[in-house]
């Protein structure tokens, strides 16, 4: 099952000897031949990949601000737990979360996959939804996990979930719970301003429009839940996420505009403070990332961070030939097994 790990890994010997390599240029990962560009690499795994055999047990937890989160467990009395965070408008049922859940649960790990507010199939109770830096909900989930007395906990996040993961371990660097041993982020927009500019490009507007269309439906439902809360505009009236976030996200969360919102919620400023082993896996052909989304300077300065850059992979893609798991999933399994007992 793990032949691809052995073939693709550049770091197994380095991790075994506890040698740090902050920036890893991975030239070995190659997608299957039919994934011939960054868009196909991104869309096919999201739309067509099926992961079977994952059976969650759902639990609803009440948040401290009188809302709720739906979390999904796979528990087999293991002492190790992986907490998985999904991307923007995703859920615990996305294939990249299911892949992690299946791989780890079949190999002596318990799994907790959680859903951001409004992402579990039921609208949340508060006036707001969630965002890339809404780490108060990560804390709620971690606190629930600690109640089960796991000896070792690791965190993984994909795209927005990666941003939540990195910001959480960075902002809590001085008081991180001792059970949390390592973290990983995949296809993470470390700099939201840079990412929003990439999404505004004509060649990438498909992704931007898909996100805005889905969020538009939720915001309309939220406005029905709280009449007069928002000035609803058709999502097609916005030319960019910057405009969308200035009109909605910034106002909902009390920021001046989109730039103020991005500057305050993104994970980038917190990367320098991370003090547990952390792997960031970003593809250089990711249609949603550019600039500081690839935090090379920080990885060079912070020996706790390894930044792995692949030539291919798209956004949360990383499909592999002859493997049921993506390179990101197998890489996570390798990384975390080298960081916990």
């Amino acid at each position: 099952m793990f032949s691809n790990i052995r073939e693709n890994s550049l770091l197994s010997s380095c991790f075994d000897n506890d040698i740090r390599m902050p920036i890893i240029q991975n030239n070995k990962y190659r997608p299957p031949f039919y994934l011939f560009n960054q868009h196909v690499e991104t869309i096919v795994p999201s739309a067509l990949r099926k992961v079977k055999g994952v059976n969650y047990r759902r639990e609803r937890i009440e948040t401290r601000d009188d809302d709720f989160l739906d979390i999904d467990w796979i528990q087999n009395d293991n002492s190790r737990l992986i907490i998985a965070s999904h991307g923007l408008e995703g859920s615990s049922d996305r294939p990249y979360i299911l892949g992690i859940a299946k791989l780890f649960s079949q190999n002596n790990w318990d799994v907790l996959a959680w859903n951001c507010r409004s992402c579990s199939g039921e609208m949340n109770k508060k006036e707001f939804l969630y965002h890339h830096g809404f780490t108060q909900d990560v804390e709620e989930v971690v606190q629930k996990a600690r109640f089960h007395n796991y000896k070792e906990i690791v965190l993984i996040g994909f795209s927005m979930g990666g941003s939540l993961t990195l910001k959480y371990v960075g902002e809590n660097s001085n008081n991180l719970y001792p059970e949390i041993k390592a973290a990983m982020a995949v296809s993470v927009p470390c700099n939201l301003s840079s990412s929003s500019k990439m999404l505004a490009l004509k060649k990438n507007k498909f992704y931007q429009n898909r996100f805005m269309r889905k969020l538009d439906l939720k915001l309309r439902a939220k406005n029905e839940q709280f009449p007069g809360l928002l000035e609803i505009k058709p999502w097609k009236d916005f030319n960019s996420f910057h405009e969308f976030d200035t009109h909605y996200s910034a106002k909902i969360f009390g920021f001046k505009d989109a730039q103020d919102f991005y500057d305050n919620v993104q994970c980038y400023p917190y990367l320098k403070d991370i003090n547990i082993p952390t792997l960031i896996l970003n593809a250089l052909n990711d249609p949603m990332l550019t600039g500081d989304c690839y935090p090379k300077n920080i990885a060079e300065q912070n020996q706790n961070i390894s930044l792995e850059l692949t030539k291919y992979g798209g956004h949360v893609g990383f499909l592999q030939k002859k493997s049921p798991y993506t390179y990101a999933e197998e890489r996570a399994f390798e990384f975390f097994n080298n960081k916990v007992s």
Side-chain angles (χ1 to χ4, degrees):
M1 172 167 42
F2 301 115
S3 61
N4 291 91
I5 289 181
R6 292 190 291 271
E7 292 172 3
N8 286 324
S9 174
L10 300 180
L11 291 182
S12 57
S13 61
C14 294
F15 278 122
D16 289 343
N17 295 318
D18 199 28
I19 298 172
R20 300 301 306 180
M21 292 179 62
I23 299 179
I24 308 104
Q25 297 287 347
N26 182 336
N27 295 316
K28 289 189 176 182
Y29 167 71
R30 293 286 190 278
F33 72 92
Y34 54 86
L35 302 180
F36 50 84
N37 67 34
Q38 63 191 127
H39 302 298
V40 182
E41 287 182 71
T42 299
I43 295 168
V44 167
S46 176
L48 301 180
R49 185 187 178 205
K50 305 297 180 185
V51 180
K52 299 180 180 180
V54 175
N55 298 305
Y56 291 132
R57 176 182 66 82
R58 174 153 292 187
E59 179 181 4
R60 176 162 292 184
I61 61 175
E62 301 299 320
T63 64
R64 283 167 287 184
D65 62 352
D66 193 32
D67 209 336
F68 68 89
L69 295 171
D70 287 330
I71 64 177
D72 292 321
W73 291 97
I74 302 176
Q75 290 178 292
N76 295 305
D77 295 321
N78 294 300
S79 63
R80 306 181 298 176
L81 174 73
I82 183 169
I83 298 177
S85 302
H86 64 75
L88 184 65
E89 283 304 282
S91 72
S92 60
D93 289 327
R94 297 300 297 147
Y96 53 86
I97 299 292
L98 293 172
I100 286 289
K102 184 173 183 179
L103 176 56
F104 278 75
S105 66
Q106 292 182 351
N107 289 278
N108 303 314
W109 288 77
D110 281 5
V111 177
L112 193 171
W114 68 285
N115 298 274
C116 291
R117 305 185 192 212
S118 79
C119 292
S120 62
E122 182 177 337
M123 184 58 69
N124 65 309
K125 296 190 293 185
K126 301 296 285 187
E127 299 91 332
F128 46 80
L129 301 175
Y130 61 91
H131 59 65
H132 285 71
F134 205 73
T135 51
Q136 68 187 64
D137 282 352
V138 182
E139 173 68 9
E140 299 275 6
V141 173
V142 169
Q143 286 280 25
K144 184 63 180 181
R146 295 183 73 237
F147 179 78
H148 292 265
N149 297 315
Y150 287 101
K151 293 181 180 179
E152 295 155 324
I153 297 173
V154 298
L155 310 178
I156 188 168
F158 295 81
S159 194
M160 183 200 72
S163 179
L164 284 166
T165 298
L166 296 176
K167 183 172 181 284
Y168 178 78
V169 296
E171 69 186 2
N172 291 291
S173 59
N174 292 327
N175 57 353
L176 197 65
Y177 301 116
E179 303 96 317
I180 299 177
K181 304 300 184 183
M184 181 174 174
V186 179
S187 300
V188 56
C190 297
N191 185 296
L192 292 177
S193 182
S194 296
S195 182
S196 70
K197 291 175 182 176
M198 277 293 284
L199 287 167
L201 297 178
K202 184 177 181 181
K203 64 180 180 179
N204 297 327
K205 276 202 170 184
F206 166 82
Y207 309 108
Q208 174 184 275
N209 292 345
R210 182 173 179 272
F211 286 136
M212 289 199 300
R213 186 166 57 247
K214 295 180 74 172
L215 287 167
D216 177 82
L217 293 174
K218 282 191 177 177
L219 290 167
R220 290 176 184 275
K222 187 61 67 178
N223 212 42
E224 292 181 3
Q225 189 180 7
F226 296 93
L229 175 67
L230 302 166
E231 178 195 353
I232 298 295
K233 295 175 60 176
W235 68 266
K236 291 183 178 180
D237 286 356
F238 301 102
N239 292 316
S240 67
F241 247 126
H242 193 281
E243 292 182 6
F244 186 91
D245 283 330
T246 291
H247 185 76
Y248 287 123
S249 304
K251 292 178 182 177
I252 291 172
F253 290 101
F255 296 99
K256 182 176 65 175
D257 54 21
Q259 192 60 55
D260 187 34
F261 174 65
Y262 297 155
D263 290 344
N264 281 279
V265 307
Q266 64 191 2
C267 68
Y268 188 83
Y270 299 92
L271 300 182
K272 67 182 186 305
D273 299 319
I274 290 175
N275 61 7
I276 60 171
T278 299
L279 175 63
I280 299 173
L281 174 63
N282 281 352
L284 292 170
N285 72 340
D286 191 316
M288 304 184 198
L289 306 183
T290 190
D292 283 340
C293 291
Y294 303 98
K296 295 181 181 180
N297 291 338
I298 293 176
E300 290 173 344
Q301 296 166 10
N302 186 343
Q303 292 298 301
N304 295 302
I305 295 177
S306 292
L307 173 63
E308 183 171 345
L309 304 175
T310 58
K311 183 176 181 181
Y312 305 102
H315 189 75
V316 196
F318 298 103
L319 284 186
Q320 298 186 108
K321 183 180 180 181
K322 297 181 180 179
S323 176
Y325 300 108
T326 69
Y327 174 71
E329 291 154 11
E330 290 190 349
R331 188 70 180 86
F333 187 80
E334 177 194 37
F335 177 71
F336 288 133
N337 273 288
N338 275 291
K339 294 304 170 189
V340 302
S341 58

